[in-house]
Amino acid sequence: MIFDCAIYRDGHRTESSDDPAKALREARASDDAFVWIALHDPTADEFEEVRKVFGLHPLAVEDALKAHQRPKLETYDDSLFVVLKPVFYESARDTVTTSEVMLFLGDSFVVTVRHGESSPLPEVRRRLEEDPDTLRHGPTSVLYAVADATVDQYLDVATELGTDLEELEADVFSPSDAGSRDTASRIYVFKRQVLEFRRATVPLTVPMTRLAGMGQSATPVPFVDTSARPFFRDVNDHLTRVNESVEGLDRLVSDILSAHLAQMGVRQNDDMRKISSWAAMAAIPTLIAGVYGMNFEHMPELHWVWGYPAVVAVMAVLELLLYRNFKRRGWL
């Protein structure tokens, strides 16, 4: 549905409108005005009216309706299409969730489409309306503000994931065996979250590099004011920091998983040595008792009065010697 439709003049919101076509005509009639339309999970019929009014490309509209897109930037004859994936950290469940924001920029208009309940767009609109100096730059200011808010959230999520990784690392290397059964599953779940986070941050590098105009021969992006390049360079710098953090998290969680598996192997070896030690200690009395349990009439010391106590004493001494030997070697 159309969540909001407003006309901005000279950095100030002047009026709202229920007619996108009329709002676009009024915005184009002035040099310092543009119309901003926000849609939330629109249907095909709702988007068809917007597509006709603003001349949006059918392929971009299809991507905006279906969602589940990678972050990207595509240019068309009459508009610029940008996809961003905001990431949110749910502290109650220690999980990462993603949503999607699409932006269409064109002549005196910007159309934002969001999918999912969590989105920075309402807060971005409120902040921009309180900052007329930034909003005077038109649709470019909206694109910058949304990208900046999205990457700032990436930084917060990276910090939260780093804290979770430290806790997971402490559990893995804890001397206690408590929780060791589900440690591997927790590591895999965390790795999946890092992968989901990475899918949102890494593909955004190319669009931000283009918007920042990196390099002297960088081609200007249509419908984006070239004077905003320093601001996009700042966003790109923050995104680089995020990607470095994501790479570090991915490497660390892989190392932690390898360390956990190695620890499990060491513990299994310790268990096998203990079992083997006790089995060896049990073999001696079993052997002696088996020999004297044979039903032969002529056996050494068979009728000796001190035969039984002597055999028991020999078994006890041998058991003690074996126990001390295994204990000294660390097998018990």
Side-chain angles (χ1 to χ4, degrees):
M1 64 177 183
I2 298 179
F3 188 76
D4 195 2
C5 177
I7 300 175
Y8 295 86
R9 287 187 175 88
D10 193 28
H12 297 276
R13 179 171 180 153
T14 58
E15 57 187 286
S16 300
S17 176
D18 295 331
D19 187 351
K22 179 182 177 181
L24 182 60
R25 287 194 301 268
E26 294 180 2
R28 286 178 173 173
S30 176
D31 294 335
D32 59 353
F34 72 96
V35 59
W36 181 356
I37 294 183
L39 298 96
H40 181 204
D41 290 327
T43 63
D45 294 336
E46 292 171 342
F47 215 137
E48 180 62 20
E49 179 184 0
V50 176
R51 185 193 70 80
K52 291 180 179 179
V53 170
F54 296 98
L56 305 180
H57 197 279
L59 293 177
V61 171
E62 181 181 357
D63 290 343
L65 285 173
K66 291 184 177 181
H68 303 293
Q69 304 295 318
R70 287 166 55 91
K72 61 182 179 179
L73 184 151
E74 296 179 347
T75 56
Y76 298 96
D77 293 337
D78 298 324
S79 63
L80 175 71
F81 180 56
V82 181
V83 179
L84 302 173
K85 292 183 73 70
V87 178
F88 302 89
Y89 181 83
E90 297 182 14
S91 56
R93 297 188 300 171
D94 293 337
T95 57
V96 171
T97 59
T98 60
S99 61
E100 290 188 46
V101 173
M102 288 84 167
L103 298 95
F104 294 87
L105 275 73
D107 181 16
S108 302
F109 74 85
V110 57
V111 178
T112 57
V113 184
R114 65 185 177 100
H115 294 272
E117 296 300 326
S118 301
S119 172
L121 285 178
E123 180 63 20
V124 167
R125 183 186 285 264
R126 184 190 65 79
R127 291 208 313 262
L128 280 175
E129 291 178 352
E130 295 176 354
D131 186 10
D133 292 336
T134 301
L135 201 55
R136 286 191 182 97
H137 292 85
T140 301
S141 64
V142 178
L143 176 59
Y144 161 70
V146 175
D148 185 54
T150 300
V151 175
D152 283 346
Q153 286 180 335
Y154 290 166
L155 290 170
D156 295 337
V157 172
T159 302
E160 295 290 348
L161 288 177
T163 302
D164 289 347
L165 183 61
E166 290 177 358
E167 296 176 356
L168 185 60
E169 186 178 15
D171 291 341
V172 168
F173 293 102
S174 174
S176 174
D177 292 339
S180 60
R181 293 183 178 180
D182 63 344
T183 299
S185 62
R186 289 174 56 199
I187 295 175
Y188 277 112
V189 169
F190 186 87
K191 192 170 182 64
R192 286 181 58 189
Q193 294 184 58
V194 173
L195 179 60
E196 185 71 17
F197 189 28
R198 189 173 182 176
R199 288 173 179 170
T201 63
V202 174
L204 188 58
T205 302
V206 174
M208 283 297 105
T209 302
R210 289 185 60 188
L211 291 171
M214 304 297 285
Q216 296 181 354
S217 61
T219 304
V221 179
F223 307 107
V224 176
D225 191 348
T226 56
S227 64
R229 284 182 172 182
F231 298 95
F232 285 111
R233 279 199 292 268
D234 181 67
V235 176
N236 187 62
D237 179 63
H238 292 171
L239 181 62
T240 301
R241 289 169 49 194
V242 171
N243 286 331
E244 290 174 353
S245 298
V246 172
E247 291 292 338
L249 290 172
D250 189 52
R251 287 195 302 268
L252 283 174
V253 73
S254 298
D255 293 342
I256 289 175
L257 178 60
S258 299
H260 174 67
L261 296 177
Q263 282 186 331
M264 294 298 295
V266 171
R267 290 174 183 174
Q268 290 178 351
N269 289 336
D270 289 341
D271 292 339
M272 290 302 300
R273 285 190 299 182
K274 291 179 181 180
I275 294 173
S276 299
S277 300
W278 288 111
M281 294 174 62
I284 291 179
T286 302
L287 175 63
I288 296 176
V291 170
Y292 280 90
M294 293 185 295
N295 296 321
F296 291 105
E297 181 176 355
H298 301 287
M299 292 182 65
E301 295 87 23
L302 186 62
H303 300 287
W304 186 32
V305 175
W306 298 100
Y308 177 75
V311 169
V312 172
V314 169
M315 288 191 293
V317 170
L318 292 177
E319 290 292 302
L320 180 60
L321 292 175
L322 283 177
Y323 180 82
R324 291 184 60 184
N325 184 40
F326 290 143
K327 192 71 173 178
R328 186 174 62 254
R329 294 174 177 266
W331 287 31
L332 290 175

